[in-house]
Amino acid sequence: AQSVAQPEDQVNVAEGNPLTVKCTYSVSGNPYLFWYVQYPNRGLQFLLKYITGDNLVKGSYGFEAEFNKSQTSFHLKKPSALVSDSALYFCAVRDSMDMGRRALTFGSGTRLQVQP
Amino acid sequence: EAGVTQSPTHLIKTRGQQVTLRCSPISGHTSVYWYQQALGLGLQFLLWYDEGEERNRGNFPPRFSGRQFPNYSSELNVNALELEDSALYLCASSFNSAGQASSGNTIYFGEGSWLTVV
């Protein structure tokens, strides 16, 4: 079974400050973890993913995410937020134990608001 | 290179009618996924097709159905529309992602089809 949780409905941060969007997961095997961003009235855009290897993953638009196996977390981070980063962010997971039988499971989403 | 394309982009239907949404995957992708995003809610998994076969189905009633064609494009059909079916329907595609070795393949989304049921 696979599930993912995004504990914050909304995150507010001032422009120029660092941002963190939280994600925790639950899987039986090893996780494949993804972050997507959705701008208003648009589809989802892929930001980054963790499959294996280095726990710090770098992605598009200056975003990065840190995989923490002991805490079952995959938090999205950016050192300096931009107003244009304001959007809806989704974390998603796939369980290696499912042998590809299940599609990606998405979290409920976190709305990021960056104030000028 | 063209991304995932969906049609129509917007449509309005009356309760009880039927609707067909279409999706063309990225060239070379054989897996197609359908998700529903109702207003204020997250993404709910509907259907996954790969190589023309249905691989998995989400917790939706049978009036939600679909198929994948030999060129890997896909249709989502919704019969007996209800007001609660009003949502953004997102299609996504990836390289073959069935099997453990390819489970980490990235899926790429289209811009979606906005369905309003009145």
Side-chain angles (χ1 to χ4, degrees), chain A residues 49-57 65 67:
Chain A
K49 69 179 179 182
Y50 171 83
I51 303 300
T52 186
D54 194 348
N55 289 342
L56 185 63
V57 179
F67 171 66

PDB file of all heavy atoms in Angstrom, chain A residues 49-57 65 67:
ATOM      1  N   LYS A  49      12.239  14.418  -8.587  1.00  0.00           N
ATOM      2  CA  LYS A  49      11.888  13.106  -8.051  1.00  0.00           C
ATOM      3  C   LYS A  49      13.083  12.480  -7.358  1.00  0.00           C
ATOM      4  O   LYS A  49      14.247  12.801  -7.654  1.00  0.00           O
ATOM      5  CB  LYS A  49      11.379  12.180  -9.153  1.00  0.00           C
ATOM      6  CG  LYS A  49      12.430  11.746 -10.167  1.00  0.00           C
ATOM      7  CD  LYS A  49      11.807  10.797 -11.192  1.00  0.00           C
ATOM      8  CE  LYS A  49      12.824  10.362 -12.245  1.00  0.00           C
ATOM      9  NZ  LYS A  49      12.206   9.467 -13.273  1.00  0.00           N
ATOM     10  N   TYR A  50      12.772  11.581  -6.431  1.00  0.00           N
ATOM     11  CA  TYR A  50      13.776  10.756  -5.775  1.00  0.00           C
ATOM     12  C   TYR A  50      13.480   9.298  -6.101  1.00  0.00           C
ATOM     13  O   TYR A  50      12.366   8.818  -5.852  1.00  0.00           O
ATOM     14  CB  TYR A  50      13.759  10.956  -4.266  1.00  0.00           C
ATOM     15  CG  TYR A  50      14.647   9.957  -3.550  1.00  0.00           C
ATOM     16  CD1 TYR A  50      16.014  10.191  -3.434  1.00  0.00           C
ATOM     17  CD2 TYR A  50      14.123   8.764  -3.046  1.00  0.00           C
ATOM     18  CE1 TYR A  50      16.834   9.262  -2.814  1.00  0.00           C
ATOM     19  CE2 TYR A  50      14.939   7.845  -2.433  1.00  0.00           C
ATOM     20  CZ  TYR A  50      16.289   8.084  -2.317  1.00  0.00           C
ATOM     21  OH  TYR A  50      17.100   7.160  -1.724  1.00  0.00           O
ATOM     22  N   ILE A  51      14.493   8.632  -6.638  1.00  0.00           N
ATOM     23  CA  ILE A  51      14.358   7.200  -6.916  1.00  0.00           C
ATOM     24  C   ILE A  51      15.334   6.432  -6.032  1.00  0.00           C
ATOM     25  O   ILE A  51      14.969   5.499  -5.333  1.00  0.00           O
ATOM     26  CB  ILE A  51      14.619   6.883  -8.400  1.00  0.00           C
ATOM     27  CG1 ILE A  51      13.658   7.702  -9.277  1.00  0.00           C
ATOM     28  CG2 ILE A  51      14.464   5.396  -8.667  1.00  0.00           C
ATOM     29  CD1 ILE A  51      12.197   7.420  -9.011  1.00  0.00           C
ATOM     30  N   THR A  52      16.587   6.834  -6.087  1.00  0.00           N
ATOM     31  CA  THR A  52      17.629   6.225  -5.269  1.00  0.00           C
ATOM     32  C   THR A  52      18.818   7.156  -5.279  1.00  0.00           C
ATOM     33  O   THR A  52      18.867   8.118  -6.038  1.00  0.00           O
ATOM     34  CB  THR A  52      18.002   4.835  -5.817  1.00  0.00           C
ATOM     35  OG1 THR A  52      18.913   4.202  -4.915  1.00  0.00           O
ATOM     36  CG2 THR A  52      18.688   4.956  -7.176  1.00  0.00           C
ATOM     37  N   GLY A  53      19.807   6.886  -4.384  1.00  0.00           N
ATOM     38  CA  GLY A  53      21.021   7.679  -4.420  1.00  0.00           C
ATOM     39  C   GLY A  53      21.028   8.810  -3.425  1.00  0.00           C
ATOM     40  O   GLY A  53      20.507   8.695  -2.308  1.00  0.00           O
ATOM     41  N   ASP A  54      21.592   9.927  -3.824  1.00  0.00           N
ATOM     42  CA  ASP A  54      21.768  11.082  -2.957  1.00  0.00           C
ATOM     43  C   ASP A  54      20.425  11.524  -2.375  1.00  0.00           C
ATOM     44  O   ASP A  54      19.437  11.662  -3.104  1.00  0.00           O
ATOM     45  CB  ASP A  54      22.396  12.224  -3.751  1.00  0.00           C
ATOM     46  CG  ASP A  54      22.915  13.336  -2.852  1.00  0.00           C
ATOM     47  OD1 ASP A  54      22.601  13.333  -1.655  1.00  0.00           O
ATOM     48  OD2 ASP A  54      23.644  14.206  -3.369  1.00  0.00           O
ATOM     49  N   ASN A  55      20.419  11.758  -1.068  1.00  0.00           N
ATOM     50  CA  ASN A  55      19.166  12.129  -0.406  1.00  0.00           C
ATOM     51  C   ASN A  55      18.697  13.529  -0.772  1.00  0.00           C
ATOM     52  O   ASN A  55      17.524  13.855  -0.597  1.00  0.00           O
ATOM     53  CB  ASN A  55      19.316  12.032   1.111  1.00  0.00           C
ATOM     54  CG  ASN A  55      19.409  10.595   1.577  1.00  0.00           C
ATOM     55  OD1 ASN A  55      19.050   9.674   0.846  1.00  0.00           O
ATOM     56  ND2 ASN A  55      19.889  10.398   2.787  1.00  0.00           N
ATOM     57  N   LEU A  56      19.577  14.378  -1.243  1.00  0.00           N
ATOM     58  CA  LEU A  56      19.205  15.727  -1.651  1.00  0.00           C
ATOM     59  C   LEU A  56      19.049  15.747  -3.163  1.00  0.00           C
ATOM     60  O   LEU A  56      19.999  15.516  -3.906  1.00  0.00           O
ATOM     61  CB  LEU A  56      20.260  16.739  -1.206  1.00  0.00           C
ATOM     62  CG  LEU A  56      19.921  18.206  -1.470  1.00  0.00           C
ATOM     63  CD1 LEU A  56      18.679  18.609  -0.677  1.00  0.00           C
ATOM     64  CD2 LEU A  56      21.090  19.108  -1.133  1.00  0.00           C
ATOM     65  N   VAL A  57      17.846  16.052  -3.592  1.00  0.00           N
ATOM     66  CA  VAL A  57      17.534  16.043  -5.014  1.00  0.00           C
ATOM     67  C   VAL A  57      17.294  17.478  -5.476  1.00  0.00           C
ATOM     68  O   VAL A  57      16.545  18.214  -4.845  1.00  0.00           O
ATOM     69  CB  VAL A  57      16.263  15.210  -5.278  1.00  0.00           C
ATOM     70  CG1 VAL A  57      15.922  15.222  -6.756  1.00  0.00           C
ATOM     71  CG2 VAL A  57      16.435  13.798  -4.771  1.00  0.00           C
ATOM     72  N   ALA A  65      14.668  18.905  -2.807  1.00  0.00           N
ATOM     73  CA  ALA A  65      13.932  18.143  -1.800  1.00  0.00           C
ATOM     74  C   ALA A  65      14.887  17.191  -1.121  1.00  0.00           C
ATOM     75  O   ALA A  65      15.815  16.671  -1.747  1.00  0.00           O
ATOM     76  CB  ALA A  65      12.769  17.394  -2.432  1.00  0.00           C
ATOM     77  N   PHE A  67      15.241  13.702   0.961  1.00  0.00           N
ATOM     78  CA  PHE A  67      14.657  12.415   1.330  1.00  0.00           C
ATOM     79  C   PHE A  67      15.210  11.998   2.681  1.00  0.00           C
ATOM     80  O   PHE A  67      16.426  11.970   2.880  1.00  0.00           O
ATOM     81  CB  PHE A  67      14.991  11.369   0.269  1.00  0.00           C
ATOM     82  CG  PHE A  67      14.625   9.960   0.662  1.00  0.00           C
ATOM     83  CD1 PHE A  67      13.300   9.605   0.831  1.00  0.00           C
ATOM     84  CD2 PHE A  67      15.605   8.993   0.842  1.00  0.00           C
ATOM     85  CE1 PHE A  67      12.946   8.314   1.175  1.00  0.00           C
ATOM     86  CE2 PHE A  67      15.269   7.696   1.184  1.00  0.00           C
ATOM     87  CZ  PHE A  67      13.939   7.361   1.357  1.00  0.00           C
TER      88      PHE A  67
END
